[in-house]
Amino acid sequence: MSTQSSEQLAADLAADVARDLSLTPKQLQSKYLYDALGSSLFEAICRLPWYRITRAEQALLERHASRVVARMCPQADTEPLIVELGCGSGEKIVILAEALQASGHYGRVHLIDISRQALEQSERTLGRLRHISVVGHRVTYEVGLRHATRERDARNPVLVLLLGSNIGNFDPPAAQEFMRAIRGALQPGDALLLGADLVKPDVELQLAYDDPLGVTAAFNKNLLVRINRELGADFDLDTFAHVAAWNGAHKRVEMHLESLADQAVTIAGRKVVFAKGERIWTESSYKYEPSDIDAMGHAAGFVTTEQWIDGVARFALTLLTVR
């Protein structure tokens, strides 16, 4: 497994927290939600009855994985390079890997995630398959994509996976920039398989991001636990509340941590003051219309080859190709 040093990751966390809590409104980057405990809590969220993204995407993958493989492997000796950005538990990529194996093709898989636990779990999930070699990279998406595609064989295609509606964690300009970065790493014949959650009724979104069991609240507040542990901060979890709200004007669900009192928190020797009712913006989850996905892909230089939609859960899986 290739990885950034623990010292560098800690330095990045400290620098980002110091900068983002000085902004108005205060913010924390959503990528830091996924430490070992955060990754486990997110896996639990994916199993909640109110959060249907994972089940909808898995069903679409099971239904269409063989079609994706057929498009990526036009010849009997094709050995694609599959790069997953944000691998989670490996439950989704293994569906494609099994379809690849069933078709008689060999393949190489590169997993990109900053969570060590996610990488290790995904590598275990894929380890039982023949015909598949697996390499994990504990780095950011951009760095990992460069590492993985550097090893490409020009004779074989690259398939990048950005699943689980991870694209929704980027604001629209950043999402477009990231799509262009992915396109820039690819060549004609390569493809991007993109999962994106679609706009749906407010009540469904509220239950998905503020569930009755409080799992999402624990996931959000664990960010403060991580900062306490890794940066020596003194956040009192009882004085912050999880808040999730749908912003229809911007087509996004916003997650915040709201201060329940006037208070000061010390982080790495630096004092940060919170007013009662002041919020830390921890995550945005943008939702799309199918036409939005097509337009975003086209603007980045992709062509929409296939798009499959779960009409009940309102989730889309789109195969975007490079020509």
Side-chain angles (χ1 to χ4, degrees):
M1 180 190 296
S2 64
T3 181
Q4 290 175 289
S5 69
S6 298
E7 293 79 9
Q8 184 59 56
L9 291 170
D12 289 347
L13 172 64
D16 289 344
V17 168
R19 181 194 64 231
D20 294 343
L21 289 182
S22 68
L23 299 174
T24 303
K26 292 180 171 66
Q27 302 174 29
L28 289 169
Q29 293 186 42
S30 60
K31 66 182 180 180
Y32 293 121
L33 290 161
Y34 298 92
D35 62 354
L37 177 55
S39 294
S40 295
L41 286 168
F42 183 70
E43 289 301 316
I45 289 169
C46 291
R47 287 164 171 73
L48 294 173
W50 308 281
Y51 190 90
R52 298 192 287 180
I53 289 175
T54 303
R55 291 185 296 280
E57 188 171 50
Q58 285 179 332
L60 290 172
L61 283 168
E62 288 168 356
R63 200 173 303 139
H64 302 292
S66 60
R67 190 171 178 84
V68 174
V69 168
R71 285 192 171 273
M72 296 305 300
C73 300
Q75 299 177 351
D77 61 348
T78 303
E79 297 181 10
L81 173 65
I82 303 175
V83 183
E84 184 171 24
L85 305 177
C87 57
S89 65
E91 291 181 351
K92 287 175 282 192
I93 191 172
V94 77
I95 297 170
L96 278 168
E98 287 173 340
L100 185 67
Q101 180 174 278
S103 69
H105 291 88
Y106 287 84
R108 292 168 293 151
V109 171
H110 286 250
L111 305 168
I112 317 297
D113 208 297
I114 60 171
S115 169
R116 182 183 298 276
Q117 179 179 354
L119 287 168
E120 291 174 348
Q121 188 170 353
S122 292
E123 289 174 5
R124 285 195 299 270
T125 301
L126 289 165
R128 60 184 171 79
L129 296 178
R130 309 182 316 278
H131 300 241
I132 304 292
S133 65
V134 182
V135 179
H137 303 267
R138 190 175 176 231
V139 294
T140 61
Y141 291 168
E142 295 85 352
V143 172
L145 184 58
R146 287 199 301 271
H147 287 177
T149 54
R150 193 184 303 150
E151 299 181 14
R152 70 169 299 152
D153 180 339
R155 298 170 302 171
N156 292 305
V158 173
L159 173 63
V160 176
L161 309 180
L162 186 61
L163 303 175
S165 199
N166 283 340
I167 191 66
N169 293 139
F170 296 87
D171 65 34
Q176 192 65 72
E177 182 181 353
F178 187 50
M179 292 282 284
R180 289 195 185 99
I182 295 173
R183 169 62 185 88
L186 302 181
Q187 300 176 7
D190 295 343
L192 166 65
L193 188 61
L194 179 68
D197 202 21
L198 303 179
V199 174
K200 62 197 72 180
D202 298 11
V203 64
E204 294 182 24
L205 292 166
Q206 192 65 39
L207 283 169
Y209 288 86
D210 191 9
D211 63 274
L213 293 179
V215 182
T216 312
F219 171 68
N220 199 13
K221 293 175 77 170
N222 179 59
L223 184 51
L224 305 184
V225 175
R226 178 177 187 177
I227 295 172
N228 282 352
R229 182 181 66 249
E230 298 186 23
L231 299 182
D234 59 359
F235 278 103
D236 180 352
L237 270 63
D238 290 336
T239 63
F240 285 87
H242 167 69
V243 178
W246 169 243
N247 184 329
H250 293 283
K251 293 196 287 192
R252 70 189 180 210
V253 177
E254 300 173 3
M255 289 206 323
H256 300 262
L257 290 166
E258 182 175 307
S259 177
L260 301 178
D262 294 329
Q263 57 182 305
V265 177
T266 301
I267 307 170
R270 176 176 170 269
K271 185 174 289 188
V272 180
V273 176
F274 293 88
K276 182 178 180 179
E278 187 174 8
R279 294 178 176 181
I280 308 171
W281 194 349
T282 57
E283 185 177 52
S284 292
S285 184
Y286 285 84
K287 308 304 176 184
Y288 294 88
E289 298 292 351
S291 59
D292 297 334
I293 302 167
D294 183 69
M296 182 168 59
H298 179 77
F302 289 99
V303 175
T304 300
T305 302
E306 300 271 9
Q307 186 174 74
W308 304 287
I309 295 175
D310 184 317
V312 177
R314 295 284 296 159
F315 187 89
L317 192 63
T318 307
L319 184 64
L320 302 158
T321 55
V322 179
R323 294 182 180 173

